[in-house]
Each structure stands twice: as structure tokens, then as C-alpha cells.
């Protein structure tokens, strides 16, 4: 099957406008006869469901949580990008487009990225109209701050709760449509398969997570907005419930999967403290605006910190290595996430880590507190302020900007980050890979769409900070509602899709048989036993550092682990009740399949890109590994896995993207 991205012809800045001018539309009177299923109600799914219902379609929305308000989008902290240029510092649609493509190591689809940059400004207006409480400056105008990988301030934010506030905006829009009867909401439901009829997506099989009942739901189109698969690593910044099941099920029904090995390694996470942890906690990238990242210059000081024989405040300024500022003076601490992550790991691998495990660097706010304090003293006409007064004034400013983040850190680590530098370390965060989609956001299955983090299209090998919320809301509010109409315009005479068909029978039987297997299997190991083992394989051999031998070993080990899982997993309880272990069993089974595909994709990419360093592709040692050189494969491509025969026989397919609209350059932050 040939991949057709359906990218419109013409100059990149005109593609989206010209496309909208020529697509087919659905008459408002006909929309009421068309049903759409939306799986996932985070920012992408919630905004899509609300907008499609507002347009007049009948929407069924599914969330495995007890409310859309609990979608993982709520955990996003730092902000949302938009090319408004409110700061007058030179931002533009083109610059946001360029920064995104460049930050993704030129592995994004240009046309989709330009469209994203183009509609970004509309997102802010939409959310302000919904009442989202964005931060404002002294004059009452919307405020902006900077994020990694850019030289402008374009990130709109609501303290450290941006995701939560944006989600509440989308949720309020959904609630309006629920009250009007245009959205039928299914909380505590999990999609377990997609149903295809004559090659088109016509519905889903879902499980009521409270009663265990298996349900059939039909529609003229299905939209997957179920987020990413970072939990394949077990330890990640994702909520424990975040999973790949919806995306993986549609992949097994013919939707191609692209770039599975591209994952975001976020540099600003609280380090792990032991093997008992089930997840890691993200500290917003916004903290790198004012926090300075450092390790000791002397290995002896690092050893003393690891052994708790010295405090970070005992190390003099001249004995501190602000390694990001030293290596990348133009960007300093605001280099992109992949660069910062690799640099931090290199310093820790060299022995300069600052906690007991040697896997942490400092994020220090002392300089910012002093700088803000001196400014406030001048504003308040305080002459000759004491050091204590300066610190008090500066701390109040930092607390106003990041207070809830500092509070969260103190509750987890039990240290006051105003007095002692935070400790951070890279961790798995966002996934750039996902379901392959064309310009319309349709998968390789007709009538099956995928939006938000669940698809692959915008971020290449690395996502710029504050772009996740932008993509989710752009897809849901401003892109999908246009593109899905072009497909549905051919469905106005189809009529209601029946569920009493052989296709629904077969899909339900597959789901039921799998559930019954888990409940009846007399194994000895818990689901978490296998998930943790998979996570260790993934991090050790498919994480930030990769090599051919390790990836081949990972594929072998994952296959063996998967075989043992199907023989020896134990799931307590029954299928006719709320059973979290049964839910996890299905999700981990999917991770065990995805993990092998992940390793196979990484094996086929003999290159260093994004947050991943391929060891044999470049000859580097020591500190050079902090910014791996590119090899001769520095082109953009999408890896999609085309089934030939059995799903296990997936074959790599490359789609070369031609870059005619921007000048290809070696990415450099020096």
C-alpha cells in the first residue's frame, strides 16, 4: 500500500487556506443525521467533541476516567505556544514553523507544521473567550514567557496549571453540548477494538469499566484522541492509566504506525528515588527560564554530594559547572529538551551526578531570586537593602511565577527549593511517534481519524516545549472539524450504522475471548511484574543511548517476556466488575507488542536524532556525547509498518519528505 499524505499543492503559506476553500462540506441540515465517535477526552478529544457537536454532528465521547476533567492533559504545566508576537521580539508564523521543524531535527511534515503555526493564534483567542485565566502583565495584557529551543517569548501560561485550565475550557464547551443532547458522554468506558465494515471504520467495541459489560457503538467516522504511549517505559511522567490500547488496536486493524521509537526525554523531572516507584514527576520546562542547571566542576565534590557529606550551598560559584550555558551560550539553559537531556545524562554518566544514585543535576534559582530582589528593591525605593531583604523580595516574585511547582517539589522531595537547588534528571515524557495520518488527519483506514499526541505528524524526532497543548487544541478546534467534513459529505445518505452485523460480532468475540483468557489464566506473576521488566529493557536498551547489539537483544528479550506473560500472568477478580488489574493486563499486553516494534524501528535508524543517541553511528566520547553529531542520514522520513501477512512480519517503509520551503541546515545551538 502506497502512503498518500494528501498534502495540497502550492506555496506552504497558502496550502491550508486554499484547501479549506475547495473541500466538500456537509449541509447543516444533514449534520444531524451523521454520528461521530471520539475516543479520549483530553485537550484534543475534548475540543474535537465540543466543536463537532457545536457544528451539529451527533457525537459519542468515551473516557476511561470518571470525568473528562481527569484526562492526562491536566498534568501539562508550563504553557501553550502561539505566534502572536505580543512581546514585539520578532516572532511570526514562519518563525514558529521553523523552530518546530528545526527542533524536531527536520523530521516533521512541513505542511502540517505550518498549518499548526498558522492556527496557533486562533487558539489563544478561543481560550480567552472561554475564560481561561492566562497570566497577564502589569498593564493587563496577556503575558508570555520563553521555552526551550527558541529565541522569542511566545508561550502563554496560567501559572503552572496551564493544561488544567485549558482542559476546563474544553470541558465547559463539552458540557454545553452534553446538556443540548449533541454529545452522549460515556465515562469509565474503554475502547478495546475498532470495527471495520467494507474497509471503513464504522464503530468500536467498548467495555464499561464499572459493570464489565461489553458494548457495541456505531458511527459514520471514528476519531482516536487517546494520547501517547510513554508508559511503555513503565517509569515516565505519564499518569499510570495512560496507555496505547486504542492506538494499538487500530494499528492491528490496518492503521499504520509511524516513528514508534521517537520519544521525548524531558530534562526537568524529579529523579527516581528507588525501585518502588510507579511513575516520575515532571517539573515544568518553564522553570528553566529562571533556573540555572549545574553540576560540580570537581569530581571530588560530586562524590561528596552523593555521599551526603556536602550540601550544594557549600560549593563555591567558581567550582560550579553551568554546563548548558558553557556549551550553548546563545540558548543557555533554554536549549531544546533533547539537547538538555543528553547533556545532563552525559555529565551524570561521567560521574558528576549530585544525588545518591548519581542520576541528578541541580536546577538553581538563587541567581534569579537575587536579580528579582534587587529590581523590586529599586521599584519600592528601598535604599541599601540587606541581603535578606533582597532575597525576600526576589522569592516573592519567583513564588508568584512558579509557586505551585515549588510546592509540589517540596511535598515530594521534602526540601525547600527556595533555599536548596532542585534536583532534576531526564525522563520519558511525550511520544512523537504514533498513528500515521495524512493532511486530513485520517489514518490509512477510511473514516478513521487520529488527533493530538496519538498521531505522529507535527513534532518529528523531538517536540519543542509548550507545543503539545497547541497541537491538541489545533487539531480539535480548527483542523479536524474542517477535514472530517470532506469525508462525511459522502455519508449523508448512508443512514444509521447497524451494530447487529457479522463485523461487530467478530470484533466483540475477539474482545470477549481475550478478557476471558486473562480471568481464567492460572499464572503466578502480577501484571506489574511484567510491566516493570519491560520498562527496564526499554530504558536500558531503547532509551537515550542505543546501539545495534542492544536493540537486537531488546527485541529478543521482549519477545521472550511476552511469551512468558501469556503463560504466567495472573489477573485476580472477575470480568463482571470494576477490575483495575484486568484493565492493566490488556494495556500491558499491548505494550509488550508495541515495545518490540519500537525496538525494530530504532534498529532500522542508524542515526542520532531527537533525545536518542545511536552509539555506533558516530565516533564520540566523553563530553561530545552531550550533542551528538549528525551522520549522512540527516533527511526527514516517516517509518510506517506495513503488514505483510501476519502482523509480526511488519516491514519498514520510508516516505521521503522534500524540503522545498525552508533551507535545510545542520541544527546547532552553539
Amino acid at each position: 500500500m502506497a502512503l498518500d499524505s494528501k498534502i495540497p499543492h502550492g506555496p506552504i503559506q497558502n496550502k491550508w487556506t486554499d484547501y479549506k476553500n475547495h473541500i466538500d462540506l456537509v449541509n447543516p441540515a444533514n449534520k444531524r443525521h451523521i454520528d461521530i465517535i471520539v475516543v479520549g477526552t483530553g485537550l484534543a478529544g475534548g475540543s474535537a467533541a465540543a466543536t463537532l457537536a457545536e457544528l451539529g454532528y451527533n457525537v459519542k465521547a468515551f473516557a476511561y476516567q470518571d470525568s473528562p476533567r481527569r484526562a492526562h492533559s491536566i498534568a501539562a504545566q508550563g504553557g501553550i505556544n502561539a505566534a502572536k508576537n505580543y512581546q514585539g521580539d520578532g516572532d511570526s508564523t514562519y518563525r514558529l514553523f521553523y523552530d518546530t521543524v528545526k527542533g524536531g531535527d527536520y523530521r516533521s511534515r512541513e505542511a502540517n507544521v505550518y498549518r499548526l503555526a498558522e492556527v496557533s493564534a486562533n487558539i489563544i483567542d478561543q481560550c480567552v473567550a472561554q475564560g481561561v485565566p492566562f497570566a497577564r502583565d502589569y498593564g493587563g495584557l496577556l503575558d508570555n514567557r520563553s521555552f526551550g529551543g527558541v529565541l522569542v517569548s511566545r508561550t502563554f501560561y496560567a501559572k503552572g496549571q496551564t493544561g488544567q485550565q485549558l482542559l476546563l475550557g474544553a470541558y465547559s464547551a463539552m458540557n454545553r453540548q452534553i446538556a443540548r443532547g449533541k454529545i452522549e458522554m460515556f465515562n469509565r468506558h474503554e475502547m478495546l477494538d475498532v470495527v471495520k465494515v467494507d474497509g471503513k471504520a464504522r464503530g468500536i467495541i467498548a467495555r464499561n469499566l464499572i459493570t464489565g459489560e461489553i458494548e457495541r457503538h456505531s458511527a459514520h467516522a471514528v476519531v482516536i484522541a487517546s494520547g501517547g504511549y510513554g508508559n511503555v517505559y513503565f517509569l515516565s511522567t505519564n499518569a499510570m492509566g495512560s496507555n496505547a490500547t486504542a492506538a494499538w488496536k487500530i494499528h492491528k486493524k490496518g492503521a499504520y504506525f509511524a516513528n514508534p521509537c521517537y520519544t521525548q526525554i524531558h530534562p526537568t523531572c524529579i529523579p527516581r528515588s528507588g525501585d518502588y516507584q510507579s511513575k516520575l514527576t515532571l517539573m515544568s520546562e518553564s522553570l528553566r527560564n529562571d533556573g540555572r542547571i549545574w553540576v560540580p566542576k570537581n569530581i571530588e565534590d560530586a562524590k561528596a554530594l552523593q555521599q551526603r557529606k556536602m550540601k550544594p550551598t557549600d560549593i563555591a560559584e567558581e567550582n560550579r559547572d553551568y554546563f548548558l550555558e558553557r556549551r550553548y551560550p546563545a540558548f543557555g539553559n533554554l536549549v531544546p529538551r533533547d539537547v538538555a537531556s543528553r547533556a545532563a545524562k552525559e555529565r551524570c554518566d561521567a560521574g558528576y551526578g549530585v544525588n545518591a544514585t548519581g542520576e541528578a543535576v541541580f536546577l538553581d534559582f538563587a541567581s534569579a531570586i537575587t536579580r528579582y530582589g534587587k529590581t523590586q528593591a529599586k521599584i519600592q525605593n528601598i535604599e541599601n537593602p540587606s541581603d535578606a531583604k533582597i532575597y525576600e523580595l526576589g522569592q516573592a516574585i519567583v513564588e508568584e511565577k512558579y509557586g505551585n511547582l515549588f510546592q509540589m517539589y517540596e511535598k515530594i522531595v521534602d526540601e525547600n527549593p527556595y533555599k536548596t537547588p532542585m534536583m532534576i534528571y531526564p525522563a520519558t515524557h511525550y511520544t512523537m511517534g504514533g498513528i500515521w495520518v495524512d493532511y486530513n488527519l485520517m489514518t490509512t483506514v477510511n473514516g478513521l481519524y487520529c488527533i493530538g499526541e496519538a498521531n505522529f505528524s507535527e513534532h518529528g524526532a523531538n517536540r519543542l516545549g509548550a507545543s503539545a497543548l497547541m497541537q491538541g487544541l489545533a487539531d480539535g478546534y480548527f483542523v479536524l472539524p474542517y477535514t472530517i467534513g470532506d469525508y462525511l459529505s459522502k455519508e449523508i445518505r448512508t443512514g444509521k450504522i447497524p451494530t447487529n452485523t457479522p463485523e461487530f460480532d467478530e470484533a466483540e468475540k475477539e474482545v470477549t475471548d481475550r478478557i476471558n483468557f486473562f480471568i481464567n489464566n492460572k499464572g503466578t506473576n502480577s501484571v506489574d511484574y511484567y510491566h516493570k521488566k519491560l520498562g527496564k529493557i526499554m530504558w536500558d536498551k531503547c532509551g537515550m543511548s542505543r546501539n545495534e547489539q542492544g536493540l537486537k537483544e531488546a527485541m529478543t528479550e521482549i519477545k521472550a517476556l511476552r511469551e512468558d506473560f501469556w503463560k504466567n500472568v495472573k489477573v485476580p477478580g472477575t470480568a463482571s466488575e470494576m477490575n483495575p488489574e484486568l484493565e492493566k493486563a490488556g494495556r500491558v499486553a499491548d505494550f509488550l507488542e508495541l515495545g518490540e516494534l519500537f525496538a525494530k524501528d530504532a534498529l532500522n535508524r542508524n542515526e542520532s536524532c531527537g533525545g536518542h543517541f545511536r552509539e555506533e553511528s558516530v565516533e564520540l566520547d566523553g563530553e561530545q556525547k552531550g550533542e551528538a553529531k549528525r551522520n549522512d542520514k540527516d533527511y526527514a522520513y516517516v517509518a510506517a509498518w506495513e503488514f505483510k501477512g501476519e502482523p509480526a512480519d511488519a516491514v519498514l517503509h520510508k516516505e521521503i519528505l522534500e524540503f522545498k520551503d525552508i533551507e535545510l541546515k545542520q541544527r546547532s545551538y552553539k
Side-chain angles (χ1 to χ4, degrees), residues 323 327 339-349 361 425-426:
F323 55 91
R327 293 181 187 178
V339 178
S341 295
R342 285 199 306 272
K345 186 175 187 298
E346 181 277 321
R347 288 290 77 196
C348 291
D349 289 348
V361 298
Y425 191 71

Side-chain angles (χ1 to χ4, degrees), residues 343-375:
K345 186 175 187 298
E346 181 277 321
R347 288 290 77 196
C348 291
D349 289 348
Y352 291 88
V354 298
N355 67 348
T357 66
E359 295 179 336
V361 298
F362 287 127
L363 182 63
D364 196 334
F365 291 85
S367 296
I369 290 173
T370 300
R371 183 177 71 253
Y372 285 130
K374 289 180 178 179
T375 301

Side-chain angles (χ1 to χ4, degrees), residues 41-52 170-171 173-174 451 472-477 481:
T41 52
L43 283 181
S47 59
T51 307
L52 292 169
Y171 178 61
M174 282 185 70
I451 61 176
L473 292 180
D475 286 356
Y477 282 138

Side-chain angles (χ1 to χ4, degrees), residues 397-634:
I397 298 299
V398 171
E399 186 172 359
E400 182 181 349
K401 296 177 72 174
Y402 312 112
N404 61 309
L405 298 172
F406 277 60
Q407 182 184 42
M408 183 170 67
Y409 180 89
E410 185 170 6
K411 285 182 177 296
I412 293 171
V413 181
D414 196 26
E415 287 186 357
N416 183 349
Y418 295 106
K419 306 297 183 184
T420 303
M422 287 184 181
M423 289 186 291
I424 58 170
Y425 191 71
T428 302
H429 180 49
Y430 189 92
T431 54
M432 274 70 63
I435 297 299
W436 186 92
V437 293
D438 62 18
Y439 191 72
N440 300 313
L441 303 181
M442 188 190 288
T443 71
T444 49
V445 175
N446 284 332
L448 182 58
Y449 291 79
C450 189
I451 61 176
E453 188 181 359
N455 77 30
F456 89 104
S457 61
E458 264 87 346
H459 306 299
N462 173 63
R463 179 177 65 76
L464 292 179
S467 287
L469 307 184
M470 176 176 63
Q471 186 206 348
L473 292 180
D475 286 356
Y477 282 138
F478 298 110
V479 179
L480 181 73
Y482 279 101
T483 63
I484 201 170
D486 189 47
Y487 171 79
L488 293 174
S489 64
K490 287 83 173 174
E491 297 288 333
I492 58 176
R493 296 185 180 181
T494 301
K496 202 77 173 174
I497 306 296
T499 59
N500 57 340
T501 63
E503 292 85 356
F504 275 91
D505 292 342
E506 181 182 354
E508 182 175 330
K509 184 179 185 304
E510 289 179 7
V511 167
T512 304
D513 288 348
R514 183 173 162 115
I515 289 173
N516 290 337
F517 168 82
F518 285 131
I519 294 298
N520 297 322
N521 196 51
K522 305 303 180 184
T524 56
N525 298 322
S526 69
V527 176
D528 280 345
Y529 168 86
Y530 291 100
H531 198 177
K532 288 180 180 179
K533 282 185 173 293
L534 173 64
K536 181 168 176 54
I537 296 170
M538 295 299 296
W539 182 254
D540 290 347
K541 298 179 179 178
C542 307
M544 293 180 69
S545 296
R546 302 169 177 178
N547 58 62
E548 182 178 352
Q549 179 182 346
L551 291 167
K552 288 180 177 178
E553 290 173 356
M555 291 167 62
T556 301
E557 292 172 15
I558 293 170
K559 182 177 181 180
L561 185 66
R562 185 170 65 247
E563 291 174 354
D564 186 63
F565 171 85
W566 287 106
K567 292 177 183 176
N568 294 313
V569 70
K570 179 179 177 60
V571 177
T574 69
S576 57
E577 62 181 344
M578 191 168 183
N579 189 340
E581 288 301 305
L582 177 59
E583 298 169 32
K584 283 196 294 183
R587 296 165 186 170
V588 172
D590 295 329
F591 280 137
L592 285 165
E593 294 179 356
L594 171 61
E596 187 174 350
L597 179 65
F598 189 120
K600 183 179 290 188
D601 181 31
L603 182 63
N604 277 277
R605 300 174 187 271
N606 187 22
E607 59 179 352
S608 292
C609 61
H612 310 296
F613 173 68
R614 183 65 180 264
E615 292 175 356
E616 66 268 19
S617 67
V618 288
E619 294 181 2
L620 298 177
D621 58 84
E623 198 169 299
Q624 283 182 298
K625 289 184 180 179
E627 174 59 14
K629 294 178 181 176
R630 306 292 176 251
N631 65 4
D632 60 358
K633 292 188 177 181
D634 202 2

Side-chain angles (χ1 to χ4, degrees), residues 213-233:
E213 183 182 357
I214 304 299
E215 302 175 1
R216 304 179 182 191
H217 297 274
S218 66
H220 298 88
V222 176
V223 179
I224 303 299
S226 54
Y229 49 89
N231 274 347
V232 70
Y233 284 97

Side-chain angles (χ1 to χ4, degrees), residues 317-332:
E317 187 72 16
E318 62 269 19
N319 293 324
R320 300 180 178 189
D321 178 15
Y322 295 94
F323 55 91
L324 293 180
E325 298 172 28
R326 171 170 57 82
R327 293 181 187 178
Y328 317 108
F331 285 79

